[in-house]
Structure formats: structure tokens, C-alpha cells
Amino acid sequence: MARVRRNRSYKLAQIYDRRSREVPFNAEVAEVEIDNPLALDSGEKILAIRSIRGDPLGRLHAHHQIDEAQYRGGRAFQNDWERAERGPQAVDPTREYVDGTRTRDPVTESQRQAVLRLNRVERELGTDGAALVHDVLILGLTMDQVGARRAVRAQRWNDYFARRFRECLDRLALVYGFATETSARRAERRG
């Protein structure tokens, strides 16, 4: 007598699993929860994989070394920096003007607002803090590389730069409105 086949239930969540199973051997990835772009209801989340290889802020967030407010403050700083940067960088302004070339684009309101926010951030962080944040968030340097640029190569200096960078991220979260002064004090007492 033949065996009776039973119906197997399939979960719909597994049918639409779009995560990559194979990653390159030198990849550094982390799972993140994002809004589902194909969702019918707002607020649905899905898991996605993002590369953290060239992203020091993403790496710190994926390893739970910084909190959500610090992460969002750092991303807001990067967004303002990209917005404030303007035009193609390869254009040589020393060359003669030739008919048919474009003139410089005017400064937009969003660029102006981004520059104003960056100026406020530099005042809040100070010269050293602003340079440290720029080195890590814009240039993507590690704490070892930051120490090498400043001609100090000791673990104690790396620890100092890491602690100072977290303080700067706390200040960025305050400036951009992702944290309040009381939550920053609470985080200081914990850490």
C-alpha cells in the first residue's frame, strides 16, 4: 500500500526571503531591520544585509558599541557634509573659460542650511572634535589611522580617540535633535 502524503505548510515569510546566501570571502556584513518597500501596511519591517566594510559608523552600530541616537547623529552629519559639498571636483578652475561650458551652479537653500548646521557642529565639538569626526565619518579612518595622522601610536591614544569620538557622537545626537540632555547624562553614568 502506498504512503499517504501529508500536506506541508509553507510559511509565506520564507518564500520571499531575499537575503543573499553567499557573500564574498572578505565581506563584512551585518543584518539590519528596515522598512519593507513592498509592504501593504505601513510600519512592516524586514531584515536586510548591509556591508559595513568601509563604514566605521555602521560597524560601531552593528557591534552595539554606539546607540541609535549616536548612529543617527553621525548619519545626519554625513548627510549634511554631502549636501554642503558642491559641484564636480574634477573641474579645473584655473583653465580658461571656453564657450559651451557650464557656469557654476548657484548655492541652493539646502546647501546653505547644511553649511549653517556644520558650522554649529564645529562650534559645539571644538576644533579637535570636529577634526576627529571628519577623519572618522568622512574619510573613514580607524582609530589607529587617526593616531598615525597625529603621530601618536600607542593603545592609550587609540582608547582616548575612541572615547572622544563617542563623546562627539553624543554631542552630534544633541545638535541634530536625536537625543536630549537628560538622556546624554544617563548614558554618561552608564558608560
Side-chain angles (χ1 to χ4, degrees):
M1 183 170 179
R3 266 178 106 161
V4 177
R5 273 193 169 177
R6 295 187 180 165
N7 291 338
R8 295 181 186 162
S9 66
Y10 293 100
K11 293 182 180 177
L12 290 178
Q14 291 179 352
I15 293 174
Y16 298 108
D17 188 7
R18 294 182 180 92
R19 289 180 289 180
S20 175
R21 299 283 184 235
E22 299 174 11
V23 293
F25 90 100
N26 61 347
E28 295 178 32
V29 295
E31 280 190 354
V32 293
E33 193 173 279
I34 60 170
D35 292 329
N36 187 356
L38 303 175
L40 298 175
D41 300 329
S42 63
E44 279 189 41
K45 302 281 187 180
I46 60 170
L47 285 178
I49 295 178
R50 78 164 173 210
S51 175
I52 57 172
R53 184 173 178 196
D55 183 17
L57 191 64
R59 181 179 294 114
L60 289 172
H61 188 253
H63 292 279
H64 304 291
Q65 294 175 348
I66 60 174
D67 62 5
E68 187 69 25
Q70 292 171 324
Y71 175 74
R72 293 178 78 184
R75 285 289 185 233
F77 177 81
Q78 288 175 329
N79 187 25
D80 278 348
W81 186 268
E82 289 173 5
R83 190 171 290 144
E85 218 175 35
R86 54 180 289 215
Q89 300 296 318
V91 174
D92 187 7
T94 61
R95 292 180 57 199
E96 285 184 5
Y97 175 78
V98 179
D99 288 341
T101 60
R102 291 179 29 197
T103 59
R104 263 198 151 183
D105 293 333
V107 176
T108 63
E109 184 62 26
S110 66
Q111 286 176 327
R112 193 178 78 72
Q113 293 295 324
V115 168
L116 291 174
R117 282 190 300 268
L118 288 173
N119 289 339
R120 180 173 177 226
V121 163
E122 188 170 359
R123 278 193 313 273
E124 290 281 332
L125 297 179
T127 306
D128 186 46
L132 179 63
V133 167
H134 180 269
D135 286 348
V136 176
L137 295 182
I138 304 304
L139 301 180
L141 301 180
T142 63
M143 295 305 153
D144 290 331
Q145 294 168 332
V146 168
R149 283 185 73 159
R150 289 165 171 78
V152 289
R153 294 194 168 134
Q155 185 60 39
R156 188 171 183 175
W157 279 104
N158 290 346
D159 294 342
Y160 166 75
F161 289 134
R163 190 172 52 252
R164 178 74 173 110
F165 180 65
R166 282 193 200 93
E167 290 171 3
C168 291
L169 286 177
D170 282 335
R171 183 56 67 185
L172 285 176
L174 286 171
V175 168
Y176 284 107
F178 297 116
T180 60
E181 195 69 40
T182 56
S183 64
R185 282 193 205 126
R186 205 175 309 131
E188 282 179 13
R189 278 187 242 130
R190 268 188 312 196

